[in-house]
Amino acid sequence: MNNKNFSQKEFSLHIKKLKLSTRNKVRSIISSDEDQAIKILNKLRKSSTPSELDQITKTILIAGNSEFKLPATFPDEPQTAENYRRLYTFSLDKQLANLDYLISRNIESLESFFEKLLELNTNIADENFFEADEIIYDLHKKFGYSHLLLRKSILITSNAPEDLLVKNSSKLVESSDLGNNNSIVSCLVHCFQEEQDFLSIKRSIMSTKKRGVWNRYTRDILRIPFHPHAKDDKDLSELIQSNLQSSLIDAIISAKVNQGFFTKTNYPELNKFLTIINNSALNINDIISGYTKYNDPEDLFYQQSSAWFENDEVIKFRLLLDHFYDTPDVDYFEINDVLINKITPSLAVSKIEDLYKDGIKLRLHDFEKLQELETNGTITRSSIFNLLIHLTQGKTNITEESLVKLMDVTRNLDKTINVEYVKTLAENSSSNLSKIIFYLLISKKSKNELNGNKLRRILQKRIIDFHDGKLVNFISEISKTSPSISIFTYDVCIEDFISRLSRIIKSSLEITETRASLHEWMGEHTGEKTYFDRARNLIVDHQINRVKDELDDHRIYADSTRFTEWMEDEINQSLHTLLLLMAHNDELTSFDEPQLITILEKCYYEFCTNKFFGIASYLGRRIRHGTFKGHLFSDVIAVEKRHQVLLQDPSSNKAWRKWKVEHENQIDSIVQDKLHIETSHKKHGFLNPHIKNSKKQEIAKACIKNILIDFKENGHIGNSLQLIVEYCWRITEVDLKNVGSYIKGQKQVFLNTDVLAEIKDNTNHETSRLAKDFSRDLQSQINEKISTMYGWFQRPQSVAPKVSLGLLYKAVVAEVSQTFSDFSPESNISPHDETEIMGGAYHVIYDALYVIIYNAAKHSKHKGKVERVFELQKINDSGAITITVSSQNKDSESDEYIRGRIKLSETDDIDNAQLCESRSGIRKLYHLQKYNRDFFLDRITCENRCVVVGISYRLVH
């Protein structure tokens, strides 16, 4: 007996209420270690009635056991951790019977709690947060801790004015281990904040790694704000048991939310008490009134609605949204007839076409405020859209006009649709635009290549017929009717997709320019500068690559810029949401977080296999398609030209022909089987696109560790994508080392010394020397080629945007020359131009040089000299690049005239210089100086009939 407050008399009174056989078992539970105690208790749970079980629990609690603990009905302390070992779970009937009995034994306390809860709710709805905060204190003091009370406290702290001290609510939240970023509490806090991505948070929470009974309680309590509904009887029994571990109050709420799973009259005390809760519940119109002041009332109410689960109307509202505003193929619910029959009686709309109409009633109820919230919002409408499609299995018609309008009054359909049903809608539609809309939704949800092909075919036809063959024209035009459709199109049309629009895209330059134009459109549409930056980066990198003659076309390569572009489109948001959640949960040291590993695996797979920017693309174009064989076969057998005398001998020639056939077969075998990304069809491919073996997993964990450290230090994911690029290469190196070793190991196979010996054996004294020379020459060729090819399968020296100053200058000149065809200043690269720049300097200097060179081409003397000087200067512990460009005046323009033209006046608008073209070059340089702390416009003058512009950029090292 380990309870310090143990009373032998009280214990004797309680244990005597048990059957004799049960008493001995209870004594064994009290005196045994935890494992043995649980084993005995589970047997008792299976055979005991609810009243017996209640008495057993009370007796154990009175005695106490340092090895074994049971949860209290009204706990004093917050239950936000796995404080108790999971016990045997009852069938649903027995679980409810047990709950029914517990209610009967605690009816007075429960009635008092919910009576006081109505007072709390009224004050919250009336925004009397100070009074509500005082009631939180009373409820906690009298009835202990519950997650219902925690949700009310977080609701108060979230919605109360910032200058109002709600100390009791804050204290309750803090005492629930918020300071240590407990996952249960921090997710609630995060969820209740305005403008959160509820679906992404829900997906993260519902994907919490399952560790069986060891984290069942955490998983069940975590899901309550996001998906409180049970999937089936077994799931409900587990939910009630988890909530009983928290508080009897929470178990009752869980049963109330899921009351459609059982006949309430079979459990009279539970049934009676649910009626009491309903009679004391706040009218939902009063609840909704507090949300009308927010930007998106429906969205915030949905996020915070778990604080109001004692209200039946809230439960009905959530039942629809939680099942049809979510991915339909998840494992935590099943859309079946039982569920449909629970939801459809409340529907006020039977046709999809009616959904977009202003002021239409969406659900059958008489609550004016709730109706207004649903009608003016987008989530309920989106849920009903998905429900109606489910009911018809997509076998219905939606007019083009209705569909276009619906896209702007719904949200996240690309995440919540049933792909197969929407595909049926698309196939049955006679409208080209409707088909495009449906397949845009499908393409965002599904990565099935066939769906993408259908979208490309239909989209290209419309673009050719109505938009001059320009994708950006289609997006610009459709945005006037439906901004949502234009954004869907932007999201889908990444470079890989654009590259396959073969009817409207004819070159790699058009691919880059088209995606850049989409970024620019998005920047204009949203007003966000980052989209303009992405457009610029694409164009600059393409221009650099056009003039980068020294690129080794044989090496393994992946296009980091385009890979980063893909990540920005595909994983950026989910990564950011996940890291925010992990920060809230103090899990930024969880290097084995499964969702982060999944994101990294997705990235690495794309890095390897993408046919547009991945290693697969370069492997096919640069190595497999002739280069490998040409290098190791054609170049090698060329030695025969130097040994014609020897090979004129019939015997030697026969052996040589045999050697060539076997050598070619060996190379063909490698090309056919090895020089591929490993797939089910190419099982011997040298590069495995998965992170499975221990070495790769170790590198992946290092990547995750660095992402988490960086996010913890900076609070954003600005560096995360570059870290992923870096570590994808490190993971790739595991396989690259193996292929390098393999190629080296093939040296003897390639030499095929047995056949070479036949040439030697067939020679006489006179030709023996010739045979030895031939053999040495052949071996030397093979050694040289293998040595060279070994370098092909090594990581490129630089995978970050990096370029020499001379090459950058040459790229700018090449780009300007496209506008001014007769502008051709000397741009050959000299040794002193080899200073390499990367990162921020890379793009800022490009922008500045473009302005300077463009102005020189436009305004200077025709075919006059354009000269440049690049210098490195040391400043304190760092350095700076200085660039000076001079160009000659036109013969008709004096120095004084030019100085007047290049002088910045007080009225010149520097801030908007990037948004206009007319006479904006000088202002753009000043704009760069103003908004880039490392860039300086040192001088701009006209002397001796030359315009001289000097700029500098401060370097880190």
Side-chain angles (χ1 to χ4, degrees):
M1 305 284 184
N2 298 296
N3 189 345
K4 293 179 180 179
N5 300 315
F6 171 72
S7 166
Q8 182 65 51
K9 183 178 179 181
E10 187 179 3
F11 175 76
S12 297
L13 286 172
H14 276 280
I15 200 166
K16 286 177 180 177
K17 295 178 182 179
L18 298 172
K19 292 185 295 187
L20 189 59
S21 58
T22 305
R23 294 177 197 174
N24 292 329
K25 291 176 182 176
V26 168
R27 287 191 176 96
S28 294
I29 290 170
I30 294 167
S31 60
S32 298
D33 61 30
E34 187 178 39
D35 289 339
Q36 185 62 23
I38 287 174
K39 187 176 181 180
I40 299 168
L41 181 56
N42 276 334
K43 288 183 179 180
L44 281 175
R45 282 171 65 82
K46 293 176 183 179
S47 59
S48 301
T49 65
S51 60
E52 289 173 334
L53 187 58
D54 182 49
Q55 190 58 44
I56 290 168
T57 303
K58 287 178 180 177
T59 307
I60 294 171
L61 286 171
I62 289 168
N65 185 327
S66 60
E67 294 289 326
F68 174 63
K69 296 185 294 183
L70 286 175
T73 307
F74 299 99
D76 294 326
E77 299 296 325
Q79 302 302 308
T80 54
E82 298 284 344
N83 294 324
Y84 305 100
R85 287 279 296 273
R86 191 78 172 186
L87 298 175
Y88 166 77
T89 304
F90 297 135
S91 66
L92 179 59
D93 178 58
K94 187 168 183 178
Q95 193 75 272
L96 290 166
N98 183 52
L99 182 61
D100 193 65
Y101 179 81
L102 289 173
I103 291 171
S104 70
R105 298 290 294 175
N106 296 277
I107 190 67
E108 290 183 6
S109 295
L110 290 169
E111 286 180 349
S112 298
F113 175 86
F114 280 95
E115 182 180 340
K116 194 71 174 176
L117 189 70
L118 176 59
E119 186 182 345
L120 172 66
N121 289 340
T122 302
N123 278 286
I124 293 174
D126 292 342
E127 299 188 350
N128 298 324
F129 293 111
F130 182 81
E131 290 80 358
D133 187 59
E134 293 298 315
I135 297 170
I136 288 287
Y137 175 80
D138 291 340
L139 285 169
H140 184 221
K141 185 177 181 181
K142 294 176 182 177
F143 306 102
Y145 178 93
S146 65
H147 279 282
L148 175 62
L149 199 60
L150 174 64
R151 294 195 292 274
K152 297 291 184 184
S153 299
I154 294 175
L155 182 68
I156 292 169
T157 58
S158 299
N159 295 354
E162 289 185 10
D163 58 351
L164 179 64
L165 180 63
V166 283
K167 59 181 181 181
N168 298 305
S169 300
S170 298
K171 185 177 179 180
L172 183 67
V173 176
E174 290 293 335
S175 70
S176 300
D177 211 20
L178 179 65
N180 293 320
N181 285 318
N182 177 279
S183 59
I184 291 172
V185 188
S186 56
C187 283
L188 259 177
V189 172
H190 190 54
C191 171
F192 275 35
Q193 301 303 308
E194 193 177 2
E195 296 182 353
Q196 298 300 316
D197 186 347
F198 187 82
L199 270 185
S200 293
I201 301 172
K202 179 179 182 180
R203 185 173 300 173
S204 294
I205 293 301
M206 299 305 292
S207 301
T208 300
K209 190 172 183 178
K210 296 178 180 178
R211 297 188 176 95
V213 297
W214 300 104
N215 75 336
R216 179 76 204 215
Y217 172 76
T218 299
R219 287 186 284 121
D220 284 344
I221 300 301
L222 271 173
R223 68 183 272 190
I224 290 171
F226 303 96
H227 196 85
H229 316 282
K231 181 178 181 178
D232 48 36
D233 288 2
K234 185 177 184 301
D235 191 31
L236 178 53
S237 183
E238 295 278 10
L239 271 173
I240 292 174
Q241 182 155 322
S242 291
N243 279 279
L244 269 174
Q245 185 175 320
S246 169
S247 163
L248 175 57
I249 293 166
D250 292 324
I252 293 169
I253 294 296
S254 184
K256 181 173 176 57
V257 170
N258 291 282
Q259 58 191 286
F261 277 93
F262 55 88
T263 304
K264 289 184 285 186
T265 53
N266 290 345
Y267 314 97
E269 296 299 327
L270 174 59
N271 185 35
K272 183 170 65 175
F273 194 70
L274 292 180
T275 303
I276 291 172
I277 296 174
N278 288 339
N279 292 339
S280 63
L282 193 65
N283 187 293
I284 194 167
N285 278 335
D286 296 328
I287 297 173
I288 298 297
S289 295
Y291 290 90
T292 55
K293 64 183 179 182
Y294 293 101
N295 292 331
D296 190 340
E298 184 190 35
D299 186 45
L300 186 60
F301 174 66
Y302 182 34
Q303 289 175 210
Q304 296 184 348
S305 56
S306 62
W308 303 100
F309 277 161
E310 66 274 15
N311 188 294
D312 272 349
E313 290 304 321
V314 173
I315 296 169
K316 292 174 186 176
F317 173 82
R318 286 292 299 258
L319 189 65
L320 168 65
L321 272 59
D322 288 345
H323 291 93
F324 287 95
Y325 185 65
D326 197 353
T327 304
D329 52 0
V330 295
D331 63 356
Y332 48 85
F333 66 76
E334 179 183 354
I335 299 176
N336 51 33
D337 291 342
V338 174
L339 178 65
I340 294 297
N341 290 335
K342 290 177 184 177
I343 295 174
T344 50
S346 66
L347 280 186
V349 180
S350 59
K351 293 193 298 184
I352 293 176
E353 293 203 344
D354 292 337
L355 277 174
Y356 75 87
K357 295 176 180 177
D358 292 337
I360 190 168
K361 190 172 185 176
L362 299 176
R363 293 198 308 122
L364 295 172
H365 56 74
D366 298 321
F367 301 100
E368 181 182 349
K369 293 288 185 182
L370 178 59
Q371 182 180 324
E372 183 181 331
L373 177 130
E374 293 171 335
T375 302
N376 294 335
T378 56
I379 301 175
T380 302
R381 187 176 275 103
S382 302
S383 303
I384 296 175
F385 176 88
N386 289 325
L387 172 57
L388 292 176
I389 289 176
H390 176 87
L391 293 174
T392 61
Q393 296 185 338
K395 297 172 184 175
T396 186
N397 291 313
I398 308 173
T399 66
E400 180 183 298
E401 179 187 8
S402 300
L403 183 61
V404 169
K405 290 180 177 179
L406 266 172
M407 291 303 102
D408 287 316
V409 293
T410 52
R411 66 160 74 174
N412 284 323
L413 292 182
D414 57 304
K415 298 176 182 176
T416 61
I417 58 166
N418 182 306
V419 169
E420 292 305 315
Y421 294 164
V422 173
K423 199 183 297 182
T424 301
L425 276 171
E427 291 169 355
N428 291 337
S429 176
S430 58
S431 161
N432 176 273
L433 181 57
S434 293
K435 287 179 182 290
I436 289 172
I437 295 169
F438 288 133
Y439 277 110
L440 281 170
L441 294 174
I442 291 168
S443 294
K444 285 201 71 181
K445 180 80 164 55
S446 166
K447 299 305 178 185
N448 186 301
E449 192 59 37
L450 184 60
N451 297 329
N453 290 337
K454 288 182 179 178
L455 173 60
R456 281 187 284 272
R457 177 172 52 80
I458 302 164
L459 182 61
Q460 287 183 102
K461 185 179 187 308
R462 186 172 187 88
I463 290 171
I464 291 168
D465 291 347
F466 300 106
H467 302 286
D468 299 325
K470 302 291 185 183
L471 178 58
V472 72
N473 290 357
F474 167 76
I475 289 182
S476 298
E477 189 64 31
I478 200 68
S479 69
K480 298 173 185 176
T481 309
S482 171
S484 296
I485 297 172
S486 60
I487 292 172
F488 281 149
T489 311
Y490 167 84
D491 288 342
V492 169
C493 291
I494 59 176
E495 284 192 87
D496 190 20
F497 183 90
I498 293 170
S499 70
R500 304 184 197 189
L501 299 174
S502 56
R503 295 183 64 194
I504 61 174
I505 302 296
K506 303 299 183 181
S507 68
S508 61
L509 176 60
E510 283 188 81
I511 297 168
T512 302
E513 289 178 338
T514 299
R515 184 58 180 167
S517 68
L518 296 190
H519 285 325
E520 289 171 348
W521 172 85
M522 194 66 168
E524 292 166 0
H525 181 74
T526 63
E528 293 183 20
K529 181 178 178 294
T530 53
Y531 291 106
F532 292 107
D533 291 341
R534 291 175 70 179
R536 179 195 62 180
N537 292 349
L538 280 178
I539 295 298
V540 170
D541 288 332
H542 183 84
Q543 190 65 30
I544 293 293
N545 288 331
R546 286 184 61 201
V547 299
K548 199 169 184 180
D549 298 329
E550 74 276 18
L551 184 68
D552 182 357
D553 282 346
H554 300 144
R555 66 178 177 177
I556 282 290
Y557 192 72
D559 193 321
S560 299
T561 300
R562 285 162 174 77
F563 177 46
T564 303
E565 171 92 359
W566 175 86
M567 288 192 288
E568 286 172 338
D569 291 322
E570 297 294 325
I571 61 100
N572 210 38
Q573 184 179 9
S574 57
L575 177 62
H576 188 240
T577 300
L578 178 58
L579 291 176
L580 279 174
L581 278 173
M582 292 180 71
H584 275 293
N585 299 345
D586 195 27
E587 292 178 350
L588 291 179
T589 54
S590 299
F591 306 142
D592 58 349
E593 162 58 45
Q595 292 180 74
L596 263 181
I597 292 172
T598 299
I599 288 173
L600 186 57
E601 285 177 336
K602 181 179 180 180
C603 290
Y604 183 65
Y605 183 84
E606 206 69 26
F607 179 83
C608 293
T609 64
N610 188 281
K611 295 176 182 178
F612 185 68
F613 58 72
I615 287 177
S617 166
Y618 291 86
L619 187 64
R621 276 186 273 162
R622 297 181 172 187
I623 296 178
R624 191 170 62 248
H625 295 167
T627 308
F628 186 93
K629 184 173 181 179
H631 192 76
L632 197 52
F633 181 72
S634 302
D635 290 358
V636 167
I637 65 170
V639 299
E640 64 186 1
K641 295 177 183 178
R642 298 192 292 273
H643 300 276
Q644 291 294 319
V645 174
L646 172 68
L647 298 178
Q648 284 175 357
D649 175 74
S651 299
S652 297
N653 187 266
K654 181 180 178 182
W656 172 237
R657 280 186 282 112
K658 179 181 177 182
W659 188 95
K660 287 194 293 185
V661 168
E662 292 183 5
H663 186 62
E664 184 173 17
N665 289 341
Q666 179 63 23
I667 294 168
D668 286 343
S669 174
I670 293 173
V671 171
Q672 183 176 347
D673 297 332
K674 298 285 186 183
L675 296 184
H676 297 270
I677 307 296
E678 182 181 325
T679 65
S680 57
H681 301 295
K682 296 290 181 182
K683 295 182 179 180
H684 300 292
F686 79 82
L687 185 61
N688 186 308
H690 303 288
I691 306 173
K692 298 296 183 186
N693 70 40
S694 58
K695 288 183 180 179
K696 288 185 177 182
Q697 288 174 355
E698 186 177 334
I699 298 168
K701 285 184 179 180
C703 177
I704 290 170
K705 180 179 180 179
N706 277 281
I707 289 172
L708 296 179
I709 290 171
D710 180 77
F711 186 79
K712 191 172 185 177
E713 290 177 352
N714 300 307
H716 58 75
I717 62 170
N719 300 322
S720 297
L721 302 189
Q722 287 306 315
L723 283 170
I724 292 174
V725 173
E726 165 67 23
Y727 277 91
C728 279
W729 275 112
R730 293 190 187 187
I731 295 169
T732 304
E733 285 183 295
V734 174
D735 287 333
L736 293 181
K737 287 177 181 177
N738 293 335
V739 73
S741 299
Y742 172 81
I743 289 174
K744 282 186 173 181
Q746 293 298 299
K747 178 180 175 180
Q748 292 304 316
V749 178
F750 289 144
L751 283 174
N752 199 351
T753 52
D754 290 343
V755 178
L756 279 181
E758 293 180 19
I759 297 177
K760 293 179 183 178
D761 293 343
N762 292 324
T763 59
N764 53 37
H765 178 71
E766 295 180 2
T767 58
S768 175
R769 181 180 56 80
L770 296 176
K772 289 179 181 178
D773 289 344
F774 174 73
S775 180
R776 279 196 299 269
D777 196 359
L778 187 62
Q779 289 184 48
S780 176
Q781 281 292 312
I782 291 174
N783 288 339
E784 179 188 330
K785 296 304 178 184
I786 287 177
S787 178
T788 300
M789 291 170 67
Y790 181 73
W792 294 0
F793 298 96
Q794 293 180 345
R795 170 184 171 170
Q797 290 299 308
S798 173
V799 295
K802 183 171 77 170
V803 69
S804 69
L805 273 174
L807 189 58
L808 191 69
Y809 179 81
K810 187 175 180 179
V812 171
V813 169
E815 185 171 358
V816 172
S817 297
Q818 292 174 12
T819 303
F820 303 97
S821 57
D822 57 350
F823 179 72
S824 56
E826 185 272 323
S827 60
N828 292 330
I829 299 172
S830 303
H832 61 274
D833 295 341
E834 291 303 314
T835 301
E836 289 189 324
I837 55 172
M838 61 188 299
Y842 175 88
H843 294 301
V844 173
I845 294 176
Y846 189 100
D847 285 350
L849 275 177
Y850 184 85
V851 170
I852 296 167
I853 301 303
Y854 185 93
N855 276 356
K858 185 176 181 181
H859 299 295
S860 67
K861 182 179 181 178
H862 182 61
K863 295 189 177 181
K865 282 187 178 181
V866 177
E867 298 177 328
R868 93 282 187 179
V869 177
F870 301 147
E871 292 181 322
L872 270 177
Q873 294 183 349
K874 186 169 180 61
I875 303 174
N876 298 326
D877 294 330
S878 60
I881 291 173
T882 63
I883 299 172
T884 304
V885 178
S886 63
S887 58
Q888 293 179 304
N889 297 4
K890 290 179 180 178
D891 292 338
S892 60
E893 295 175 349
S894 66
D895 287 359
E896 185 178 357
Y897 172 77
I898 297 296
R899 282 195 287 268
R901 296 272 295 177
I902 62 179
K903 183 180 179 181
L904 188 70
S905 72
E906 293 181 358
T907 58
D908 282 337
D909 184 2
I910 295 175
D911 290 333
N912 295 311
Q914 303 291 351
L915 303 179
C916 60
E917 294 303 322
S918 177
R919 296 193 61 191
S920 62
I922 304 304
R923 284 183 287 139
K924 286 175 180 173
L925 292 177
Y926 280 103
H927 181 275
L928 284 172
Q929 179 175 247
K930 183 175 180 179
Y931 291 101
N932 294 273
R933 64 181 183 179
D934 295 317
F935 176 83
F936 302 93
L937 178 56
D938 298 324
R939 63 170 172 153
I940 178 166
T941 185
C942 182
E943 300 170 351
N944 302 320
R945 303 201 56 73
C946 279
V947 174
V948 181
V949 182
I951 61 174
S952 58
Y953 193 93
R954 185 167 50 209
L955 302 175
V956 177
H957 59 272

